[in-house]
Amino acid sequence: MSASSSAPALAPCPCGRLDRKGLSLPYVQCCGRYVDDFAGTPAPDAESLMRSRYTAFVRERADYLLATWHRTTRPGSLDFEPGVKWLGLDVRARSASDADHAEVEFVARQRGKSGAAVRLHERSRFIREPDGELNRWYYVDGDMR
């Protein structure tokens, strides 16, 4: 495990989701329940899956990223760029075309080891499919903006 994946569970979740009082949700109450228990706790909607995937990038959890990538578009492996620091996530829009298809538009910010800041603006597509006794959302692909 990387150093980033050993961050305290009560630390604010990297995805930036807030509670009703406007306070940052702790990792364990937010994306941690999905990332750390993929088998038993699927993300309930496309936005939650997208946020948990961002958190998995921050924590360098390739296992979760690959498991939540749809089998038709999933890469064989996933490597993380050394020295990248994730700076934040902004969910711009979310929409569902039906109960099993959704899109989420977001901007994720990062700083590479060179120090240059990069904005990743994407409209991602998600699909919900049965997985045993559970219905599970998967990331399919996205269009960079």
Side-chain angles (χ1 to χ4, degrees):
M1 278 195 180
S2 71
S4 60
S5 65
S6 63
L10 295 178
C13 189
C15 85
R17 186 171 269 182
L18 304 176
D19 67 12
R20 293 173 200 222
K21 295 179 182 177
L23 302 172
S24 296
L25 280 172
Y27 170 76
V28 70
Q29 293 175 357
C30 193
C31 295
R33 56 191 161 163
Y34 313 126
V35 175
D36 295 338
D37 185 22
F38 171 79
T41 310
D45 53 56
E47 180 183 348
S48 295
L49 178 61
M50 189 280 307
R51 287 179 174 279
S52 67
R53 286 177 54 83
Y54 171 83
T55 296
F57 272 106
V58 171
R59 291 181 159 231
E60 298 186 352
R61 291 287 305 271
D63 60 328
Y64 183 78
L65 291 164
L66 292 170
T68 58
W69 214 311
H70 196 265
R71 67 187 176 284
T72 61
T73 56
R74 180 186 309 132
S77 64
L78 187 62
D79 296 318
F80 297 98
E81 186 179 334
V84 168
K85 177 170 176 45
W86 291 92
L87 305 172
L89 175 68
D90 178 27
V91 175
R92 298 279 176 93
R94 62 204 62 69
S95 63
S97 55
D98 60 37
D100 297 323
H101 297 86
E103 293 185 351
V104 178
E105 181 179 353
F106 67 91
V107 174
R109 295 174 293 112
Q110 64 172 245
R111 186 175 311 282
K113 65 181 175 182
S114 70
V118 176
R119 292 181 59 211
L120 304 170
H121 187 176
E122 182 175 300
R123 185 158 190 89
S124 300
R125 284 178 285 280
F126 298 88
I127 189 168
R128 186 172 68 152
E129 295 182 338
D131 179 19
E133 306 234 347
L134 302 170
N135 283 322
R136 190 177 297 279
W137 284 97
Y138 293 94
Y139 168 76
V140 178
D141 60 16
D143 296 320
M144 296 303 281
R145 302 279 176 176

